[in-house]
């Protein structure tokens, strides 16, 4: 059959789903400048495709403009059309970033980090997901890996061809659950890579007549699919700036303030990083996710974890040293989640917050008074509560373009309205169907 080569321009919007339009590749010159038309009310299309209340109604026009540097071209050589796409920024007709463009919001957060701390962000998104066909095999097992070895090999080839650096792939703990990691990328590309990775997993699964889901949790009694965001900093000349051998647990001054800010504002930003109703089933104690605003050193129950280094020389340690944000999942746009984390971190630097003390205990054993006395907060336990805390925090709202948080709140309320009084199990099924 005849086929016109097409290029898709994509945005990962506030619903965490990837949307966009395709155009003939031969029109790239024209489209790279002018983009494709986009509609403001699209921002209120929830993950379930039901439209939440929109301040824009049927009015307005925007442009989704592809960023040529983000192009991904992967031909699986199986006769199917190649994956060919670019990530785009949503701009107004005058060419200014639109207030609800997640990628533009991240760019301005990164600029704030650079302006205030002189630091550039390096980041990697570690993703867990499950494949729907079959159980997969035992936790971390070779047999489980072998069952999907062809998938794993094709996935790693796709990731590499997409311009990312494949790191590891494994059979994770849960039923049918896998994990894939990639090497860090700089700046906005770190979040772009998160989006590209998810799409490569989906695209590869499809070529194996399977389907992947990144839903935050598949079953209320099951394990969650986390997104663990690894973060480090470089100074303006590209030297590692996260580590200081004399700092607490090796944290540099920038890292100390940044981590303190993330933990101080965590309860008000999980609405962006873990933004589904079922995300709050995962953010509970003893699931190796995150339930409190605590720092851990190699503790997988902490919201922010200082990761181990394996290098033996000081230079290598400084380059490897990174912190991991664990209170995120793939219902979030990687761009918006990272923007919220970066803003919270920069706020900690601005406020000159002291380095938090690392915990090494089960915080779920403390009652609320004992937690509060030590400066800990239990993270919100529902999406509604997370949205309330976000809206109640003026500092947090101030990081985003005017009006954005109200739009975001209404989006999430629309999502909850769609779920109505469904049981928790039915909510899990609804999210699994769309993520
Ligand atoms: N599945 C866990 C989560 O929901 C993480 C397990 C791990 O540490 O890899 O975040
Ligand atoms: Mg894992």
């Amino acid at each position: 059959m005849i086929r016109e080569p097409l290029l898709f321009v994509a945005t990962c919007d506030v619903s965490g789903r990837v949307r966009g339009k395709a155009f003939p590749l031969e029109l790239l010159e024209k489209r790279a400048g002018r983009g494709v038309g986009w509609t403001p009310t699209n921002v209120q299309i929830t993950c379930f495709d039901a439209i939440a209340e929109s301040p824009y109604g049927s009015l307005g026009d925007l442009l989704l403009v592809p960023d040529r540097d983000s192009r991904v071209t992967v031909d699986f050589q199986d006769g199917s059309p190649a994956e060919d796409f670019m990530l785009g920024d949503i701009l107004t007709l005058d060419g200014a970033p639109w207030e609800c463009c997640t990628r533009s919001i991240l760019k301005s957060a990164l600029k704030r980090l650079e302006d205030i701390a002189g630091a550039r962000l390096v980041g990697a998104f570690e993703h867990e997901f499950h494949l729907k066909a079959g159980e997969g095999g035992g936790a971390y097992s070779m047999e489980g890996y072998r069952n999907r070895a062809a998938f794993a090999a094709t996935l790693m080839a796709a990731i590499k061809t997409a311009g990312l650096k494949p790191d590891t792939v494994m059979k994770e703990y849960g039923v049918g659950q896998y994990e894939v990691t990639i090497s860090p990328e700089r700046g906005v590309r770190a979040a772009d890579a998160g989006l590209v990775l998810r799409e490569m997993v989906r695209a590869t699964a499809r070529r194996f007549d399977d389907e992947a889901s990144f839903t935050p949790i598949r079953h209320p009694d099951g394990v969650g699919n986390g997104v663990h965001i690894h973060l480090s900093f470089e100074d303006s000349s590209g030297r590692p700036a996260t580590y200081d051998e004399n700092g607490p647990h090796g944290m540099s001054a920038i890292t100390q303030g940044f981590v303190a800010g993330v933990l101080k504002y965590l309860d008000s930003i999980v609405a962006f990083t873990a933004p589904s109703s079922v995300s709050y089933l995962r953010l509970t104690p003893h699931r190796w996710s995150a339930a409190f605003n605590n720092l851990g050193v190699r503790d997988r129950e902490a919201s922010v974890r200082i990761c181990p280094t394996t290098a033996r020389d000081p230079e290598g340690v400084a380059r490897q040293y990174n912190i991991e944000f664990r209170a995120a999942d793939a219902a979030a746009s990687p761009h918006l989640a990272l923007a919220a984390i970066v803003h919270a971190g920069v706020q900690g630097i601005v406020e000159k917050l002291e380095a938090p003390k690392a915990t090494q205990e089960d915080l779920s054993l403390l009652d609320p008074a004992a937690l509060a006395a030590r400066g800990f907060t239990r993270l919100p336990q529902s999406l509604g509560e997370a949205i309330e805390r976000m809206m109640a925090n003026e500092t947090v709202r101030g990081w985003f373009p005017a009006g954005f948080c109200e739009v975001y709140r209404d989006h999430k309320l629309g999502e909850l309205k769609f779920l109505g009084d469904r049981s928790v199990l039915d909510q899990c099924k609804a999210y699994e169907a769309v993520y």
Side-chain angles (χ1 to χ4, degrees):
M1 255 174 277
I2 56 171
R3 274 184 192 164
E4 179 68 27
L6 300 177
L7 190 119
F8 191 90
V9 48
T11 173
C12 189
D13 63 17
V14 304
S15 75
R17 296 191 68 183
V18 178
R19 306 183 200 268
K21 293 183 181 178
F23 56 81
L25 188 55
E26 63 183 24
L27 298 181
L28 179 57
E29 278 315 311
K30 176 182 145 201
R31 293 289 179 193
R34 284 192 245 158
V36 296
W38 203 246
T39 309
T41 282
N42 284 3
V43 70
Q44 294 307 57
I45 303 176
T46 64
C47 62
F48 303 118
D49 279 355
I51 302 185
E53 202 174 299
S54 165
Y56 309 109
S58 56
L59 302 177
D61 285 290
L62 298 164
L63 300 171
L64 175 57
V65 181
D67 172 353
R68 300 182 87 132
D69 292 339
S70 70
R71 184 165 177 189
V72 168
T73 308
V74 179
D75 186 347
F76 283 79
Q77 296 174 17
D78 61 343
S80 65
E83 300 286 329
D84 202 355
F85 60 90
M86 290 182 189
L87 276 57
D89 292 328
I90 306 177
L91 307 180
T92 65
L93 297 186
D94 303 331
W98 183 48
E99 67 252 23
C100 298
C101 169
T102 55
R103 200 163 181 260
S104 305
I105 287 173
L106 174 58
K107 285 181 185 172
S108 84
L110 294 173
K111 184 169 180 312
R112 185 168 168 237
L113 174 67
E114 204 157 345
D115 289 348
I116 287 177
R120 296 189 188 147
L121 189 88
V122 181
F125 283 64
E126 174 185 329
H127 276 89
E128 295 171 337
F129 62 93
H130 61 261
L131 292 171
K132 292 193 183 171
E135 295 203 347
Y140 312 110
S141 69
M142 187 157 177
E143 195 58 11
Y145 162 74
R146 187 178 289 125
N147 285 337
R148 301 299 182 129
F151 166 83
T154 303
L155 173 61
M156 292 309 236
I159 289 173
K160 194 159 112 184
T161 311
L164 309 179
K165 300 173 208 81
D167 183 40
T168 61
V169 59
M170 73 183 90
K171 171 70 190 67
E172 246 288 356
Y173 179 75
V175 175
Q177 191 184 36
Y178 292 80
E179 175 176 308
V180 59
T181 61
I182 49 176
S183 295
E185 301 283 344
R186 292 186 170 79
V188 74
R189 207 175 139 72
D192 290 354
L195 182 161
V196 170
L197 180 117
R198 289 179 202 173
E199 290 309 309
M200 288 302 105
V201 170
R202 293 186 198 287
T204 306
R206 202 167 266 258
R207 267 115 183 148
F208 283 85
D209 293 323
D210 202 343
E211 211 182 324
S213 174
F214 291 84
T215 187
I217 195 161
R218 204 177 183 185
H219 188 281
D221 303 327
V223 294
N225 283 322
V227 172
H228 303 156
I229 308 176
H230 293 262
L231 302 167
S232 56
F233 309 107
E234 284 179 350
D235 67 17
S236 52
S237 45
R239 279 190 303 268
T242 330
Y243 179 73
D244 178 346
E245 60 178 345
N246 300 315
H249 307 292
M251 288 185 281
S252 68
I254 289 176
T255 309
Q256 293 173 43
F258 190 95
V259 169
V262 169
L263 294 177
K264 174 174 174 184
Y265 290 98
L266 185 59
D267 67 329
S268 308
I269 64 165
V270 281
F272 299 112
T273 63
S276 76
S277 155
V278 297
S279 297
Y280 297 87
L281 299 173
R282 176 180 161 257
L283 297 187
T284 45
H286 311 138
R287 278 182 192 277
W288 286 27
S289 62
F292 303 93
N293 61 338
N294 61 320
L295 171 69
V297 179
R298 303 180 200 162
D299 176 359
R300 289 181 174 76
E301 284 267 304
S303 291
V304 176
R305 183 175 86 111
I306 297 175
C307 295
T309 49
T310 52
R312 305 215 177 234
D313 57 306
E315 183 66 28
V317 171
R319 201 153 274 290
Q320 268 187 359
Y321 185 87
N322 69 90
I323 54 167
E324 179 189 38
F325 180 93
R326 295 176 66 85
D329 63 49
S333 146
H335 298 86
L336 190 54
L338 190 56
I341 296 166
V342 168
H343 273 302
V346 174
Q347 192 67 34
I349 295 171
V350 170
E351 294 177 21
K352 300 190 171 33
L353 299 181
E354 264 176 44
K357 294 206 169 52
T359 53
Q360 277 189 318
E361 64 189 285
D362 184 353
L363 294 182
S364 69
L365 299 175
L366 302 185
D367 62 31
L371 273 176
R374 291 177 50 193
F376 294 121
T377 321
R378 175 74 170 87
L379 299 184
Q381 293 176 53
S382 68
L383 177 57
E385 196 191 333
I387 294 295
E388 273 170 29
R389 292 214 210 166
M390 178 268 286
M391 288 305 291
N393 196 322
E394 245 177 80
T395 308
V396 169
R397 278 189 284 122
W399 300 332
F400 296 93
F404 172 75
C405 287
E406 286 74 11
V407 169
Y408 189 76
R409 172 200 59 203
D410 292 347
H411 179 115
K412 290 290 151 185
L413 294 181
E415 183 174 326
L416 289 171
K417 190 167 158 208
F418 174 90
L419 290 170
D421 55 7
R422 275 171 217 236
S423 69
V424 171
L425 185 60
D426 284 344
Q427 292 189 28
C428 287
K429 286 186 186 148
Y431 280 108
E432 181 172 346
V434 298
Y435 289 121

